[in-house]
Amino acid sequence: MNLFILTVLLLMNVRGKKFDSDYCPSLDNLWKFNCSNKELKWSNLVKLELNVRASNYLDLSNNMFSTEPQGEIIKNLSFNLFKQLNSTLNLSSNQFGQIESHAFYYTSFIIEDPKGLELNKSGLKILELNELDLSNNSFQMIPWNSVKNLYKLVTLRLSQNPIKKLDMGDMTDSSDTYFVKFSNLYLNNSLVEYVNPAVFDLVKNLKLLDLSGNQIKYIDNLFDCQKGLEALNFLLSQTLLDLHTLLKSC
């Protein structure tokens, strides 16, 4: 067999490869799948089996999305094929650094190429995620604007990202309809140096904030009695501040 024929056969085998349940094994139940560390890219998500695309919990951590052009950006309608995701989406360890505004939306109708879709038109719905894991990526600010409409979101994990400030990040507006259920934010082992208390006007129901393993240098009037943050679990590995000190004015 000459080299040309062998190359063609190899290419046919790769292009014809079909993902199956062994490739992304089911976890606790039929609709919970682990696709971690499978060399997945944006271009081959479409090849995942229908039962994986119908999952309500999906682990896509530690894959190869960033090896494609602009692969470090979670683009609009990236999860258009995963309409049933209503539990956890794990995107950790993928070198993501940016999320477009409609990344977690999907169409209620069939569309082959979502790139040309006018995002301000009706017919778009948003995933009902309650947990989003973006740990160990390349975010330099908290992507509030991209997750603000995830109305069922309870937990956001952003540990091990080069985030230096806990602030309003990329938020451009505010509404009482944002972050209604949101209560857990993990920023541990990042690069946070500064905490802006204005952020707690955005996430009014925050109960657990993990800032352990950071280098907190400055916290400006973090707790005032009107913010109702007494129940907040403020986790600091460095003991330059503790909860009683932060609440001493109350």
Side-chain angles (χ1 to χ4, degrees):
M1 183 180 298
N2 63 42
L3 182 60
F4 174 76
I5 295 176
L6 179 60
T7 302
V8 170
L9 289 175
L10 287 173
L11 287 173
M12 289 176 62
N13 182 57
V14 170
R15 290 173 181 172
K17 181 178 179 180
K18 187 176 183 181
F19 297 99
D20 55 27
S21 58
D22 292 330
Y23 195 84
C24 290
S26 178
L27 299 176
D28 293 344
N29 58 63
L30 184 61
W31 308 114
K32 186 175 182 179
F33 292 90
N34 178 14
C35 296
S36 176
N37 198 28
K38 302 297 183 182
E39 300 186 359
L40 284 169
K41 301 178 182 180
W42 291 119
S43 58
N44 58 23
L45 281 182
V46 68
K47 296 180 182 179
L48 291 171
E49 286 283 350
L50 289 176
N51 58 343
V52 177
R53 285 192 256 159
S55 62
N56 55 45
Y57 172 107
L58 185 60
D59 186 347
L60 291 173
S61 63
N62 198 27
N63 277 292
M64 298 183 66
F65 300 104
S66 64
T67 62
E68 294 184 323
Q70 294 189 313
E72 75 283 357
I73 302 173
I74 304 175
K75 292 184 174 293
N76 292 331
L77 304 178
S78 287
F79 303 98
N80 191 50
L81 297 174
F82 301 88
K83 298 173 172 41
Q84 305 303 316
L85 272 174
N86 59 12
S87 176
T88 298
L89 176 59
N90 186 349
L91 298 174
S92 63
S93 303
N94 279 303
Q95 300 184 40
F96 294 135
Q98 183 181 340
I99 306 176
E100 292 186 345
S101 61
H102 288 69
F104 301 112
Y105 283 80
Y106 63 90
T107 60
S108 56
F109 47 89
I110 298 174
I111 181 170
E112 292 185 4
D113 183 13
K115 293 180 181 178
L117 185 70
E118 294 185 43
L119 297 176
N120 59 348
K121 292 293 184 69
S122 60
L124 292 184
K125 297 183 179 181
I126 195 164
L127 298 177
E128 298 183 351
L129 296 174
N130 58 50
E131 181 171 337
L132 177 61
D133 193 341
L134 298 171
S135 302
N136 194 27
N137 278 295
S138 300
F139 292 98
Q140 297 183 17
M141 66 175 65
I142 300 175
W144 294 120
N145 196 55
S146 305
V147 301
K148 66 185 180 184
N149 290 315
L150 290 171
Y151 62 97
K152 290 192 175 183
L153 188 66
V154 174
T155 300
L156 177 61
R157 299 182 183 275
L158 279 162
S159 60
Q160 295 180 283
N161 275 279
I163 297 172
K164 293 186 175 181
K165 296 180 181 179
L166 171 51
D167 57 10
M168 300 293 284
D170 61 354
M171 278 296 290
T172 56
D173 64 335
S174 60
S175 171
D176 290 337
T177 63
Y178 300 154
F179 304 108
V180 174
K181 295 181 179 294
F182 186 70
S183 60
N184 304 314
L185 175 60
Y186 292 85
L187 281 166
N188 50 298
N189 301 308
S190 296
L191 300 176
V192 179
E193 298 177 350
Y194 171 67
V195 179
N196 186 339
V199 73
F200 298 107
D201 291 327
L202 177 67
V203 286
K204 294 181 172 65
N205 298 315
L206 193 65
K207 293 293 184 293
L208 190 151
L209 170 61
D210 190 345
L211 285 172
S212 59
N214 281 283
Q215 300 294 325
I216 307 295
K217 295 179 178 178
Y218 187 62
I219 300 178
D220 182 16
N221 300 320
L222 178 58
F223 292 94
D224 64 40
C225 298
Q226 287 72 38
K227 290 186 183 297
L229 295 173
E230 292 89 344
L232 183 67
N233 295 313
F234 191 76
L235 307 179
L236 286 167
S237 59
Q238 288 83 18
T239 56
L240 78 116
L241 293 168
D242 59 38
L243 188 59
H244 296 295
T245 302
L246 293 168
L247 290 172
K248 65 182 179 181
S249 63
C250 294

